[in-house]
């Protein structure tokens, strides 16, 4: 039962209108119905169980609302899980499933069985025959969960597919045609972008988005949501000059030639530095319009050299720069820095430069997830992000109680004056615990820190396993063994790991011995910028009522404290001189917690602002895609190409109507794709330049929306004019068109990657001084502009089609 304090807090949350549900009584009736059906369903044979599931599917196919079939469906899944896996879902797992079915974010503690709880709501949504996606954090989890839960669905007559990174288009299409498909969110997004470039129906793999259940929901819906997924094509061009600029910036002097902001987000040349660079390059005016692109490359080189750190922000592996996700500590698959920054880091490390190519299509995970008609999610740490999840997705958080009471002890932080004292204390504490036989999990903030601490631990004679971005291929094996007697495991964060740590090792054979010692002891070596990441680390201990302990060791020299000036928030009388023992005053820990809240709010504001910039472009993408889809499936001919002309009359007699329409279709599709790609480049430049307008007294966001609104209206004319020019100049014979020679085959090579949407920090897009007017513009101006801009776009298209239908001899003859 909740305590009086907990009840008061929940009452206050309801009065404040927070999007959190603690009271699960609304699901209690359905749970009672599921439990009442259990004896009857348990008595069925396997054949009868499958027959019941088939009958349920037929009823849903006949139009019966799936809400009316919740008890039967959940009872069938519970029994199938018991027979297939030997695991009967607990009542709290059924409650979580009911919340997920209702489109909520179910917060379940680590180790409470989220993967199994998801099966019933996914099964019920899949009965409609329109596909249900389970979106996981990485390919390994998608593959594991499909193999683990797949037999339950199959016992009940549903097919299961899994999408992996290196699959072919036919393999992907087959996986998407399954009733239930396990995959990562980014693979779903990349496939959507590839489908948007398809020239033939056989090249498409997706079907319309119906339902998605998001695992590790806060990581995907919040941390990853603003990161654009990009599909790029070969341009034949390589970025000029990164090696030369890298050599130049190495000779610049900090504080004299360049400065950074207090948070080390942004870097810029001083006046003296600008003069020095101009002399070294023989450039008269670095700020002149003709030198802006070169100036941007120079800033990328500065950023790469002085703000990005190897084995913290990225690693070098197999001759490539691979980005490290600061939330998970793992390599961020397929992620690149944009705007020449990736090439600058490659030049810094002496690696071969990889071309960026032309961006052919882009979508953020946030906008991708909004395409699903119904969405739900599950995670262990949703409450800290509930406001953001509700604002961006309209989803509420349902807090699911644990099956057994939580027995974990969360000890107060130990704060030290300097890093060396913290490291020495960590090694001593780890040694003490190891000698007792108690397993220890140590969460570090970076690859370099994990390796340095591992070296110190081994020098103290303590064996340890290290899990970081350099060896994340073996993560499941390392994490699974972290609960064994005497185990010492170091990991760069634990978010999205997806593997439970069982006391007593992977098989649990030493469970009783480890539990008697107090269970898993989790040590954090830093406070993360996100409280949710710290909570996920803590949650590795105390799984399913097991004992456990967590504690964070921090120092006043840690990155979070230094970068955000926590020391300046503390009165001098409370700051002791440099010392080895921890600081005793509790005020220090309170100020560190306050800094975390400030940083989290800054991140929220950045994501809100970036969303305001990207929302209009996403609406434009959907408008262009609807236009393209009409041409693609031949339901809406490309008006300007079908107008009667001498060229068209000539080709109609040569090719015949059907082949001519196919030629026109191909020309239109490739032209739309090329013009949209060029437009995306222009939009990126507009956005990057918009914050400079603040110095002229303008609102950056409003000006950006004005520019892209006008640019989009001009895009239609550009597409139609370019298509007509291409069609008129096309070399066509009686056999058709040589598409390769005509340059209408589509991109010769494409690749996919993710980009950090704001690699240079918040200084440009979210200057604190501009935040009030940015918020005002985000609330009002874009909406009015969208109404006007899209109204004009579709009105012009309807008017043009009406004129074509009324006046074209070709249309009359047909």
């Amino acid at each position: 039962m909740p305590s009086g304090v907990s009840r008061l807090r929940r009452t206050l949350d309801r009065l404040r209108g927070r999007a959190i549900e603690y009271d699960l009584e609304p699901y209690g009736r359905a749970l009672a119905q599921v439990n009442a059906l259990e004896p009857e369903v348990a008595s069925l044979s396997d054949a009868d169980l499958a027959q019941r599931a088939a009958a349920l599917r037929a009823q849903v196919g006949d139009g019966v609302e799936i809400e009316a079939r919740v008890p039967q469906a959940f009872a069938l899944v519970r029994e199938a899980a018991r027979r297939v896996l030997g695991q009967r879902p607990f009542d709290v797992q059924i409650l979580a499933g009911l919340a997920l079915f209702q489109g909520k974010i179910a917060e379940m503690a680590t180790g409470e069985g989220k993967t199994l709880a998801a099966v019933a709501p996914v099964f019920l949504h899949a009965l409609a025959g329109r596909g249900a996606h389970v979106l996981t954090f990485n390919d390994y989890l998608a593959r594991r969960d499909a193999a683990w839960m797949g037999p339950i669905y199959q016992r009940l007559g549903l097919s299961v597919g899994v999408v992996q990174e290196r699959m072919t288009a036919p393999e992907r299409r087959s996986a998407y045609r399954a009733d239930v498909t396990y995959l990562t969110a980014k693979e779903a997004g990349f496939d959507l972008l590839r489908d948007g470039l398809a020239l033939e129906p056989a090249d498409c793999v997706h079907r319309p988005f119906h339902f998605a259940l998001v695992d590790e929901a806060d990581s995907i819906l919040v941390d990853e949501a603003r990161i654009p997924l990009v599909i790029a094509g070969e341009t034949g061009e390589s970025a000029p000059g990164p090696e030369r600029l890298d050599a130049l910036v190495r000779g610049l002097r900090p504080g004299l030639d360049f400065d950074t902001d207090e948070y080390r987000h942004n870097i810029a040349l001083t006046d003296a530095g600008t003069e020095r660079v101009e002399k070294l390059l023989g450039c008269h005016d670095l700020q002149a319009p003709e030198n802006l692109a070169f100036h941007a490359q120079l800033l990328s080189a500065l950023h790469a050299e002085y703000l990005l750190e190897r084995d913290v922000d990225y690693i070098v592996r197999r001759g490539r720069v691979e980005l490290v996700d600061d939330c998970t500590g793992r390599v961020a698959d397929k992620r690149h820095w944009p705007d020449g920054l990736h090439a600058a880091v490659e030049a810094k490390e002496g690696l071969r430069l990889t071309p960026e190519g032309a961006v052919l299509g882009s979508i953020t995970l946030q906008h991708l997830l909004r395409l699903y008609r119904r969405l739900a999610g599950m995670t262990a740490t949703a409450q800290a992000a509930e406001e953001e999840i509700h604002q961006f997705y309209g989803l509420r958080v349902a807090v699911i109680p644990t099956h057994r009471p939580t027995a974990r002890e969360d000890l107060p932080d130990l704060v030290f004056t300097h890093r060396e004292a913290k490291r020495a204390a960590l090694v001593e504490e780890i040694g003490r615990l190891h000698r007792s036989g108690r397993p220890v999990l140590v969460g570090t903030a970076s690859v370099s820190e994990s390796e340095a601490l591992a070296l110190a631990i081994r020098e103290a004679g303590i064996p340890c396993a290290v899990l970081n971005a350099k060896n994340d291929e073996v993560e499941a094996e390392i994490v699974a063994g972290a609960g064994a007697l005497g185990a010492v495991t170091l990991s760069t964060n634990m978010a999205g790991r997806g593997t439970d740590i069982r006391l007593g090792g992977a098989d649990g054979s030493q469970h009783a011995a480890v539990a008697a010692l107090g269970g898993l002891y989790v040590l954090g070596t830093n406070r993360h910028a996100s409280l949710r990441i710290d909570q996920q680390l803590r949650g590795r201990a105390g799984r399913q009522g097991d004992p456990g302990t967590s504690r964070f060791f921090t120092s006043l020299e840690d990155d979070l404290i230094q970068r955000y000036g926590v020391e300046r928030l503390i009165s001098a009388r409370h700051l002791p001189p440099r010392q080895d023992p921890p600081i005793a005053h509790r005020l220090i820990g309170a100020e560190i917690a306050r800094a975390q809240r400030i940083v989290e709010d800054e991140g929220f504001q950045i994501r809100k602002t970036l969303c305001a910039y990207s929302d209009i472009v996403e609406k434009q993408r959907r408008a262009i895609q609807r236009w393209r889809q009409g041409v693609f499936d031949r339901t809406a001919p490309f008006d300007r190409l079908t107008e009667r002309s001498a060229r068209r009359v000539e080709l109609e007699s040569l090719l015949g109507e059907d082949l001519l329409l196919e030629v026109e279709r191909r020309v239109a599709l490739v032209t739309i794709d090329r013009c949209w790609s060029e437009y995306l480049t222009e939009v990126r430049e507009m956005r990057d330049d918009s914050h400079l307008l603040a110095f002229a007294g303008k609102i950056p966001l409003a000006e950006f929306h004005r520019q892209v609104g006008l640019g989009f209206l001009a895009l239609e004319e550009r597409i139609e004019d370019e298509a007509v020019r291409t069609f008129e100049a096309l070399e066509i014979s009686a056999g058709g068109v040589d598409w390769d020679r005509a340059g209408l085959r589509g991109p010769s090579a494409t690749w996919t990657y993710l980009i950090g949407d704001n690699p240079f920090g918040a200084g440009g897009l979210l200057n604190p001084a501009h935040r009030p007017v940015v918020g005002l513009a985000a609330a009002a101006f874009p909406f009015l502009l969208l109404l006007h801009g899209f109204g004009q776009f579709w009105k012009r298209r309807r008017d043009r089609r009406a004129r074509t239908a009324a006046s074209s001899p070709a249309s009359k003859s047909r």
Side-chain angles (χ1 to χ4, degrees):
M1 293 293 291
S3 66
V5 174
S6 297
R7 285 195 295 269
L8 176 61
R9 178 171 60 84
R10 295 176 183 186
T11 300
L12 291 173
D13 285 341
R14 283 194 292 271
L15 292 174
R16 289 169 52 199
R18 292 187 65 188
I20 297 181
E21 296 180 358
Y22 298 104
D23 182 7
L24 302 181
E25 287 185 11
Y27 307 116
R29 180 179 176 185
L31 173 63
Q33 291 174 324
V34 173
N35 289 340
L37 288 170
E38 187 170 10
E40 176 192 347
V41 174
S43 67
L44 298 174
S45 66
D46 287 349
D48 289 338
L49 193 71
Q51 188 176 7
R52 284 279 186 97
L56 192 62
R57 183 168 190 169
Q59 292 168 7
V60 172
D62 288 339
V64 176
E65 293 293 330
I66 57 175
E67 286 77 6
R69 297 295 179 260
V70 167
Q72 299 96 316
F74 275 63
L76 290 173
V77 169
R78 174 181 262 177
E79 180 60 22
R82 186 186 66 80
R83 297 185 187 188
V84 172
L85 302 181
Q87 299 178 19
R88 173 190 176 274
F90 302 127
D91 282 0
V92 290
Q93 289 174 296
I94 297 296
L95 285 173
L98 292 167
L100 291 167
F101 174 73
Q102 293 293 335
K104 305 292 171 52
I105 302 296
E107 181 179 276
M108 300 178 69
T110 300
E112 287 294 302
K114 291 188 291 293
T115 306
L116 181 57
V119 174
V122 172
F123 167 75
L124 194 44
H125 280 293
L127 289 178
R130 294 193 290 272
H133 294 175
V134 181
L135 303 179
T136 65
F137 200 84
N138 57 42
D139 270 1
Y140 161 73
L141 292 177
R143 186 170 62 250
R144 184 203 70 178
D145 292 353
W148 186 13
M149 298 294 125
I152 301 177
Y153 297 110
Q154 291 161 352
R155 178 67 64 94
L156 298 174
L158 298 188
S159 57
V160 179
V162 60
V163 174
Q164 299 282 277
E165 180 185 347
R166 302 189 185 281
M167 278 185 169
T168 63
E171 290 171 331
R172 290 171 182 270
R173 190 180 306 109
S174 175
Y176 285 121
R177 292 301 180 273
D179 296 309
V180 178
T181 306
Y182 284 82
L183 73 163
T184 64
K186 63 177 178 286
E187 285 301 320
F190 288 142
D191 284 333
L192 176 74
L193 293 174
R194 278 187 285 256
D195 283 358
L197 294 171
L199 297 176
E200 300 296 337
D203 298 330
C204 296
V205 299
H206 266 301
R207 50 178 168 167
F209 287 5
H210 172 54
F211 169 76
L213 192 151
V214 184
D215 195 6
E216 301 297 345
D218 58 331
S219 294
I220 294 176
L221 297 179
V222 177
D223 298 326
E224 301 279 319
R226 66 180 175 85
I227 298 176
L229 288 71
V230 171
I231 185 167
E234 188 69 68
T235 62
E237 302 174 358
S238 58
E243 298 96 335
R244 180 188 179 195
L245 291 177
D246 177 67
L248 185 150
V249 300
R250 286 174 186 264
L252 298 181
R253 300 160 296 180
L256 296 176
D257 296 325
F258 65 88
D259 275 321
T260 64
D261 63 11
E262 60 176 327
Y263 301 141
R264 289 180 59 81
H265 281 158
N266 300 292
I267 191 167
L269 291 171
T270 62
D271 291 341
T274 300
E275 290 180 10
R276 186 177 182 199
V277 168
E278 288 172 348
K279 288 179 182 178
L280 291 172
L281 295 175
C283 171
H284 174 65
D285 183 4
L286 195 59
Q287 306 292 341
E290 62 271 18
N291 292 326
L292 286 180
F294 192 73
H295 188 206
Q297 286 185 327
L298 179 64
L299 289 178
S300 290
L302 279 167
H303 193 93
E305 182 63 35
Y306 296 104
L307 298 188
L308 295 179
E309 187 177 344
R310 181 169 176 168
D311 288 342
V312 176
D313 301 294
Y314 66 92
I315 64 171
V316 176
R317 184 166 61 178
R318 295 187 287 271
R320 297 182 308 187
V321 169
E322 298 185 335
L323 278 63
V324 176
D325 189 309
D326 64 344
C327 292
T328 67
R330 287 179 292 189
V331 165
D333 184 39
K334 292 185 177 181
R335 191 175 299 175
H336 284 210
W337 284 299
D339 304 327
L341 182 57
H342 204 87
V345 175
E346 290 173 327
K348 168 187 174 181
E349 297 294 344
L351 304 175
R352 183 175 64 86
L353 304 186
T354 55
E356 283 194 351
V359 174
L360 305 177
S362 177
I363 188 172
T364 66
L365 283 175
Q366 184 182 102
H367 291 121
L368 170 73
L369 294 170
R370 290 179 182 176
L371 296 178
Y372 286 94
R373 291 181 60 250
R374 301 192 70 170
L375 188 66
M378 53 189 185
T379 179
T381 50
Q383 291 186 67
E386 53 86 14
E387 180 183 355
E388 189 165 348
I389 291 172
H390 188 254
Q391 181 169 331
F392 288 154
Y393 303 97
L395 301 178
R396 297 175 63 85
V397 174
V399 180
I400 309 300
T402 56
H403 177 57
R404 297 187 180 95
T406 301
R408 187 183 70 238
E409 182 183 15
D410 295 328
L411 299 176
D413 291 10
L414 292 180
V415 184
F416 298 83
T417 57
H418 55 292
R419 283 196 179 106
E420 290 79 7
K422 180 182 76 170
R423 182 174 297 172
L426 277 166
V427 172
E428 180 180 349
E429 179 75 348
I430 293 167
R432 180 186 68 82
L433 294 164
H434 177 67
R435 287 189 295 274
S436 74
R438 189 173 182 183
V440 184
L441 174 68
V442 185
T444 64
S446 67
V447 174
S448 58
E449 184 187 22
S450 69
E451 293 183 339
L453 183 57
L455 178 62
I457 291 172
R458 287 165 179 155
E459 287 177 346
I462 306 168
C464 64
V466 180
L467 174 59
N468 60 35
K470 291 185 176 180
N471 64 344
D472 53 7
E473 297 91 343
V474 295
E475 69 170 72
E477 179 182 347
I478 294 176
V479 172
L485 275 171
V488 177
T489 308
L490 277 69
S491 172
T492 48
N493 296 324
M494 290 297 295
R497 292 288 177 186
T499 302
D500 287 337
I501 297 175
R502 298 182 63 186
L503 294 194
D507 60 0
S509 59
Q510 303 168 331
H511 182 279
V514 174
L517 294 170
L520 181 68
Y521 200 119
V522 170
L523 287 172
T525 66
N526 293 266
R527 281 292 190 170
H528 195 275
S530 171
L531 178 61
R532 289 180 293 105
I533 305 302
D534 291 345
Q535 291 173 337
Q536 289 181 21
L537 178 60
R538 284 193 193 277
R540 295 293 167 170
R543 172 184 176 271
Q544 288 196 3
D546 285 337
T549 306
S550 73
R551 170 166 255 170
F552 282 84
F553 283 50
T554 62
S555 87
L556 298 182
E557 293 180 347
D558 287 350
D559 181 66
L560 176 72
I561 295 171
Q562 289 289 308
R563 177 169 290 190
Y564 295 98
V566 175
E567 229 174 314
R568 296 195 297 273
L569 302 175
I570 303 169
S571 171
R573 72 177 184 273
H574 295 136
L575 281 175
R578 189 180 178 94
Q579 63 181 41
D580 289 338
I583 302 171
H585 205 290
R586 298 177 64 181
L587 176 65
I588 309 294
E591 290 299 340
I592 293 173
R594 182 154 75 101
Q596 267 189 315
R597 292 193 296 272
I598 293 171
V599 175
E600 285 193 320
D601 182 63
E602 284 292 315
F604 182 23
Q605 297 300 329
I606 290 171
R607 288 188 288 271
K608 283 175 64 176
T609 302
L610 291 171
C611 182
Y613 275 84
S614 61
D615 271 352
I616 186 172
V617 182
E618 169 60 14
K619 289 180 174 67
Q620 292 175 347
R621 184 197 70 81
R622 294 189 192 185
I624 287 293
Q625 196 58 41
R626 286 196 298 272
W627 185 12
R628 188 189 192 279
Q629 189 64 36
V631 176
F632 179 78
D633 57 23
R634 301 175 177 85
T635 59
F638 198 90
D639 302 336
R640 289 278 299 278
L641 290 182
T642 57
E643 292 177 355
R644 201 73 166 171
S645 66
R647 171 73 163 162
R648 198 179 192 287
V649 171
E650 172 193 349
L651 292 176
E652 189 174 6
S653 61
L654 176 66
L655 302 175
E657 181 68 11
D658 290 343
L659 183 54
L660 176 59
L661 287 173
E662 181 56 32
V663 170
E664 291 171 341
R665 173 180 169 276
R666 175 68 67 99
V667 169
L669 291 175
V670 174
T671 304
I672 290 172
D673 295 341
R674 286 180 179 173
C675 290
W676 177 247
S677 174
E678 294 166 2
Y679 178 71
L680 288 177
T681 301
E682 296 168 7
V683 166
R684 183 85 191 182
E685 292 171 355
M686 291 180 209
R687 205 200 73 173
D688 290 346
D689 293 342
S690 65
H691 70 275
L692 300 175
L693 297 168
F695 299 107
K698 296 183 179 181
I699 300 173
L701 179 61
E703 185 62 20
F704 171 77
H705 277 262
R706 186 188 69 81
Q707 291 177 351
V708 297
L710 296 174
F712 187 67
L713 289 176
L715 179 61
E716 181 198 14
E717 294 288 347
R718 188 199 313 179
I719 290 172
E720 294 192 336
D721 291 345
E722 181 65 26
V724 170
R725 279 195 296 270
T726 302
F727 180 74
E728 293 292 334
L730 204 59
E731 295 184 13
I732 304 177
S733 66
V737 180
D738 184 337
W739 299 118
D740 289 322
R741 183 176 178 183
L744 294 172
R745 181 64 72 182
S748 58
T750 62
W751 59 93
T752 56
Y753 59 89
L754 298 87
I755 61 176
D757 201 19
N758 195 24
F760 299 105
L765 292 180
L766 198 64
N767 188 316
H770 305 143
R771 190 175 297 156
V773 290
V774 167
L776 178 63
F781 184 82
F783 176 72
L784 298 175
L785 186 63
L786 282 172
L787 285 178
H788 175 74
F790 284 111
Q792 290 293 312
F793 176 77
W794 292 113
K795 180 178 182 298
R796 285 162 52 179
R797 296 211 63 233
R798 286 195 303 269
D799 290 349
R800 187 182 299 279
R801 187 171 290 118
R803 290 196 301 272
T804 301
S807 61
S808 170
S811 63
K812 292 177 181 179
S813 66
R814 289 194 295 272

